Amino acid sequence: MKMGITVFISLYTTRVILNALGASDFGIYGVVGGAITMLGFLNGAMAGATQRFMNYSAGEGNETKQLTIFNNSILLHWSIAVIVAILLESAMFVFFNGVLNIEPDRIEAAKWIYHFTVISTLFTIITVPYDAAINAHENMLYYAIVGILESVLKLIAALIIVHACIDKLILYGIFMAGITITMLIIKQLYCRKHYVECQINLKRYIDRKTLKDITSFAGWNFVGSIGTLLGNCGGSIVINHYFGTAINAAENVGSQLRGQMLAFSNNMLKALNPVIVKKEGSGDRTAMLKFSLTGSKLSYLLFAILAIPFLIETPYILKLWLKNVPDWAVCFSRFQMAVALMEQLTITLGTTIGATGKNKELNLFCSVARFVPLFIYIPLFANGFQPYWLYVIMFVNFGFIINGFTLYQCKKFCGLNIHYYCKNVLFPCIGCSLLSLGIGFTTYLFLDEGFVRLILSTFFSLITYFLCMFAFAFNKEEKHIIHSLSDSILRKLKIKR
């Protein structure tokens, strides 16, 4: 219920902002301030480092060590935040002198958005240790409440912007940076009050060995995260350079929709990831692999429940959601859903590899693999290729290259059986999706666009999907794991009287 409220508010907020700013300014925010959209991923990946050490210590039953880990993590992330902020501000001169394709009369507003993005980045990185502590304690209720609060603040900001007399784009940037700072303060106060290990005493708890271990692990997580951030934002900058800000509006619509649709499966992962790490910390690698494979399968299948009807009825759904649908939004949104589906197939395996402490090779490879396509986009677009090639390359990259290497690393360090993975995760997920998409598109082909077709195509595709899922997707042991996870999530979300 709480998650549904958050998603609804966020989607409505995007509709309000798009119509308040217009396609051009919405596109400027997408390309210049688009890093904010990716900060959730950066935050999660970075928090995984601190959370890994906290959960591992919890598996060992070592509470004192958690205090040391948290304090060293605070020092590390403050250092990272300052360095990243300096680098971003230094790069501003390059971006606004020949790289970004922005109308001359909007350059000044775009520069302000860039500064606010740097501020948001700074405080998002500082928030990481607190997010890690909340995740380690599996506090799903608090996350739900904070998520609703953040969504409401963004909606209020959007409604104010609609009636603002000053530059709406600059005002939006101010609000977004302010909300990021507010979230940091709220999480900081909550953690200090409720978690013993979140008491800051750098002089007492700074430990060189612990700092070195966290820095090494977090450093490689950071490399992987930055590769993703640069790859995605770099792709936005490249298509902006060749096609202008209007194309970024379409991309931003797809990103917003994808992020909200992933909220349900991501919420499940918040409960599952600590379990995976704790199993490794207690020395039970067999159980860790079982939870990990079930998690990837469940994450894919949960996301597909929303993604399949959307893939079938994208044009009509976007018309219902937005008053004015930007050009290319339908194409980009479909591609982003497809890429997100491919990502879910190995979504928990990165946590599994990280739980063993062997995250260097995976993060280095993924960072390079996500950044290299930039050098493919440029010659393609320079020679007249259409913008959708950005996502064709991204789909191949994520679906085959990165997923393939992740499987290899999990086999190398965790003993994953690839044949077992394909038989129990890959084939059931892909098979259920393709069959239900085929049934849904049959309705799409024979009826005119409208609400009746939306209902019928959704009904038939999901009926097919659920029948396939319950018949072929899960074995008896996985159903037991899912039942345990569901009970855990419900307990965390239940308000204590």
Side-chain angles (χ1 to χ4, degrees), residues 11 14 31-32 45 60 134 254 315 324 373 378 447:
L11 291 176
T14 301
V31 66
V32 179
E60 295 175 327
I134 296 168
N324 303 301
I378 294 171
L447 293 175

Side-chain angles (χ1 to χ4, degrees), residues 258 261-262 265 295-312 333-348 394-395 398-400 403 421 425-426 429-430 432-434 436-437 465:
R258 170 186 171 180
M261 290 175 68
L262 279 170
S265 57
S296 285
K297 183 191 295 185
L298 185 58
S299 184
Y300 178 98
L301 294 172
L302 282 174
F303 181 62
I305 292 172
L306 299 176
I308 288 171
F310 178 81
L311 286 168
I312 297 168
S333 296
R334 276 177 166 159
F335 265 116
Q336 291 212 34
M337 292 302 116
V339 171
L341 280 168
M342 297 300 283
E343 289 175 335
Q344 303 315 299
L345 289 171
T346 58
I347 191 69
T348 56
M394 192 180 295
F395 181 83
F398 276 97
F400 299 97
N403 277 355
Y421 167 84
V425 179
L426 181 63
C429 290
I430 298 298
C432 290
S433 300
L434 291 179
S436 58
L437 279 170
Y465 179 76

Side-chain angles (χ1 to χ4, degrees), residues 253-373:
V253 165
S255 297
Q256 295 285 339
L257 192 60
R258 170 186 171 180
Q260 295 308 317
M261 290 175 68
L262 279 170
F264 293 95
S265 57
N266 286 345
N267 200 48
M268 181 273 297
L269 292 176
K270 282 185 172 68
L272 178 61
N273 285 336
V275 176
I276 293 173
V277 180
K278 286 176 183 177
K279 292 295 181 183
E280 176 67 14
S282 63
D284 192 352
R285 182 162 293 183
T286 300
M288 179 186 73
L289 281 171
K290 287 180 181 178
F291 273 90
S292 180
L293 293 182
T294 303
S296 285
K297 183 191 295 185
L298 185 58
S299 184
Y300 178 98
L301 294 172
L302 282 174
F303 181 62
I305 292 172
L306 299 176
I308 288 171
F310 178 81
L311 286 168
I312 297 168
E313 289 285 355
T314 308
Y316 185 66
I317 291 173
L318 289 185
K319 287 178 186 177
L320 288 177
W321 176 33
L322 307 170
K323 289 181 181 178
N324 303 301
V325 181
D327 294 337
W328 291 99
V330 172
C331 177
F332 285 4
S333 296
R334 276 177 166 159
F335 265 116
Q336 291 212 34
M337 292 302 116
V339 171
L341 280 168
M342 297 300 283
E343 289 175 335
Q344 303 315 299
L345 289 171
T346 58
I347 191 69
T348 56
L349 298 189
T351 302
T352 304
I353 297 166
T356 68
K358 308 292 186 178
N359 68 329
K360 175 181 176 180
E361 292 180 17
L362 179 63
N363 280 296
L364 184 59
F365 179 87
C366 290
S367 182
V368 174
R370 288 162 177 159
F371 187 71
V372 165

Side-chain angles (χ1 to χ4, degrees), residues 64-79 129 197 199-215:
T64 304
K65 192 173 180 180
Q66 290 179 322
L67 257 171
T68 304
I69 289 168
F70 180 81
N71 277 268
N72 283 271
S73 181
I74 286 287
L75 177 62
L76 173 63
H77 286 90
W78 263 101
S79 302
E197 70 270 21
Q199 308 308 311
I200 298 177
N201 189 335
L202 298 181
K203 185 176 180 180
R204 180 178 179 182
Y205 289 106
I206 290 300
D207 176 74
R208 288 187 178 182
K209 185 181 182 303
T210 303
L211 184 60
K212 181 181 177 182
D213 290 342
I214 297 176
T215 300

